[in-house]
Short mmCIF file of all heavy atoms in Angstrom, two decimals:
data_model
loop_
_atom_site.label_atom_id
_atom_site.label_comp_id
_atom_site.label_asym_id
_atom_site.label_seq_id
_atom_site.Cartn_x
_atom_site.Cartn_y
_atom_site.Cartn_z
N ARG A 5 -84.90 -2.63 -46.50
CA ARG A 5 -83.99 -2.88 -45.24
C ARG A 5 -83.22 -4.14 -45.49
O ARG A 5 -82.07 -4.31 -45.25
CB ARG A 5 -84.69 -2.89 -43.99
CG ARG A 5 -85.21 -1.51 -43.51
CD ARG A 5 -85.53 -1.48 -42.12
NE ARG A 5 -86.66 -2.35 -41.84
CZ ARG A 5 -87.96 -1.85 -41.88
NH1 ARG A 5 -88.21 -0.67 -42.25
NH2 ARG A 5 -89.00 -2.73 -41.61
N ALA A 25 -56.62 -12.89 -47.31
CA ALA A 25 -55.63 -13.07 -48.37
C ALA A 25 -54.33 -12.25 -48.07
O ALA A 25 -53.30 -12.73 -48.29
CB ALA A 25 -56.26 -12.49 -49.73
N ASP A 28 -52.22 -14.41 -45.62
CA ASP A 28 -51.61 -15.41 -46.49
C ASP A 28 -50.42 -14.90 -47.14
O ASP A 28 -49.32 -15.55 -47.32
CB ASP A 28 -52.46 -16.13 -47.41
CG ASP A 28 -53.55 -16.95 -46.82
OD1 ASP A 28 -53.38 -17.30 -45.56
OD2 ASP A 28 -54.67 -17.30 -47.33
N ALA A 48 -16.25 -26.29 -47.13
CA ALA A 48 -15.38 -26.14 -45.89
C ALA A 48 -15.24 -24.66 -45.48
O ALA A 48 -15.44 -23.72 -46.21
CB ALA A 48 -13.94 -26.73 -46.27
N ILE A 77 -14.28 -13.31 -36.02
CA ILE A 77 -13.53 -14.07 -37.28
C ILE A 77 -14.46 -13.88 -38.45
O ILE A 77 -15.64 -14.22 -38.50
CB ILE A 77 -13.42 -15.62 -36.91
CG1 ILE A 77 -12.53 -15.81 -35.79
CG2 ILE A 77 -12.79 -16.31 -38.12
CD1 ILE A 77 -12.57 -17.22 -35.13
N SER A 104 -23.07 -17.36 -41.03
CA SER A 104 -22.44 -17.93 -42.22
C SER A 104 -21.03 -17.27 -42.54
O SER A 104 -20.08 -17.94 -42.86
CB SER A 104 -23.21 -17.90 -43.50
OG SER A 104 -22.62 -18.48 -44.64
N CYS A 147 7.67 -11.59 -4.37
CA CYS A 147 8.30 -11.93 -3.22
C CYS A 147 7.41 -12.68 -2.19
O CYS A 147 6.24 -12.76 -2.45
CB CYS A 147 8.79 -10.60 -2.31
SG CYS A 147 7.44 -9.47 -1.99
N GLU A 151 9.30 -13.63 4.47
CA GLU A 151 10.45 -14.41 4.20
C GLU A 151 10.88 -15.29 5.56
O GLU A 151 11.74 -16.09 5.33
CB GLU A 151 11.66 -13.50 3.86
CG GLU A 151 11.45 -12.93 2.44
CD GLU A 151 12.58 -11.95 2.00
OE1 GLU A 151 13.55 -11.95 2.80
OE2 GLU A 151 12.49 -11.38 0.99
N ASP A 167 -0.93 -19.09 -12.55
CA ASP A 167 -1.93 -19.97 -13.30
C ASP A 167 -1.57 -20.33 -14.64
O ASP A 167 -1.76 -21.63 -14.94
CB ASP A 167 -3.36 -19.46 -13.12
CG ASP A 167 -3.56 -18.08 -13.80
OD1 ASP A 167 -2.47 -17.43 -14.02
OD2 ASP A 167 -4.75 -17.81 -14.13
N ASP A 204 17.51 -22.14 8.13
CA ASP A 204 17.65 -20.78 7.78
C ASP A 204 18.50 -20.56 6.52
O ASP A 204 19.49 -21.43 6.37
CB ASP A 204 18.15 -19.92 8.89
CG ASP A 204 17.18 -19.80 9.94
OD1 ASP A 204 15.96 -20.21 9.85
OD2 ASP A 204 17.47 -19.24 11.09
N LEU A 210 11.92 -21.38 -8.19
CA LEU A 210 10.85 -21.71 -9.09
C LEU A 210 11.53 -22.05 -10.40
O LEU A 210 12.53 -21.40 -10.91
CB LEU A 210 10.02 -20.52 -9.34
CG LEU A 210 8.98 -20.05 -8.29
CD1 LEU A 210 9.71 -19.53 -7.08
CD2 LEU A 210 8.02 -19.02 -8.80
N ALA A 214 9.84 -20.84 -20.52
CA ALA A 214 9.37 -19.57 -21.05
C ALA A 214 8.74 -19.81 -22.31
O ALA A 214 8.50 -21.02 -22.84
CB ALA A 214 10.57 -18.68 -21.24
N LEU A 248 7.38 8.44 21.71
CA LEU A 248 7.32 7.13 21.35
C LEU A 248 7.86 6.01 22.25
O LEU A 248 8.98 6.16 22.67
CB LEU A 248 8.15 7.07 19.91
CG LEU A 248 7.96 5.78 19.14
CD1 LEU A 248 6.64 5.51 18.60
CD2 LEU A 248 9.05 5.83 18.02
N SER A 331 15.48 11.69 4.18
CA SER A 331 14.53 10.58 4.73
C SER A 331 13.76 10.01 3.49
O SER A 331 13.37 10.78 2.62
CB SER A 331 13.54 11.16 5.73
OG SER A 331 14.31 11.53 6.79
N ASN A 343 -2.90 -4.27 7.23
CA ASN A 343 -3.28 -4.86 8.45
C ASN A 343 -2.70 -6.19 8.38
O ASN A 343 -3.27 -7.01 7.61
CB ASN A 343 -4.77 -4.79 8.72
CG ASN A 343 -5.04 -5.16 10.22
OD1 ASN A 343 -4.28 -5.80 10.93
ND2 ASN A 343 -6.09 -4.62 10.62
N ILE A 363 26.37 4.61 2.85
CA ILE A 363 26.32 3.63 3.83
C ILE A 363 27.74 3.35 4.35
O ILE A 363 28.67 3.38 3.54
CB ILE A 363 25.82 2.25 3.14
CG1 ILE A 363 24.35 2.32 2.77
CG2 ILE A 363 25.99 1.03 4.14
CD1 ILE A 363 23.38 2.50 3.98
N ARG A 373 17.99 6.07 11.35
CA ARG A 373 16.97 6.85 12.11
C ARG A 373 15.63 6.45 11.66
O ARG A 373 15.33 6.49 10.37
CB ARG A 373 17.10 8.34 12.00
CG ARG A 373 15.94 9.13 12.53
CD ARG A 373 16.25 10.63 12.61
NE ARG A 373 16.98 10.80 13.86
CZ ARG A 373 17.24 12.07 14.30
NH1 ARG A 373 16.95 13.14 13.64
NH2 ARG A 373 17.88 12.19 15.39
N ILE A 391 15.81 -6.22 10.53
CA ILE A 391 16.21 -5.18 9.69
C ILE A 391 17.52 -5.60 8.90
O ILE A 391 18.46 -5.99 9.60
CB ILE A 391 16.35 -3.84 10.44
CG1 ILE A 391 15.06 -3.44 11.14
CG2 ILE A 391 16.75 -2.70 9.40
CD1 ILE A 391 15.17 -2.35 12.11
#
Side-chain angles (χ1 to χ4, degrees):
R5 284 198 299 272
D28 287 342
I77 298 173
S104 178
C147 59
E151 291 183 2
D167 56 339
D204 289 357
L210 285 70
L248 186 66
S331 295
N343 194 333
I363 293 295
R373 167 167 284 188
I391 301 171

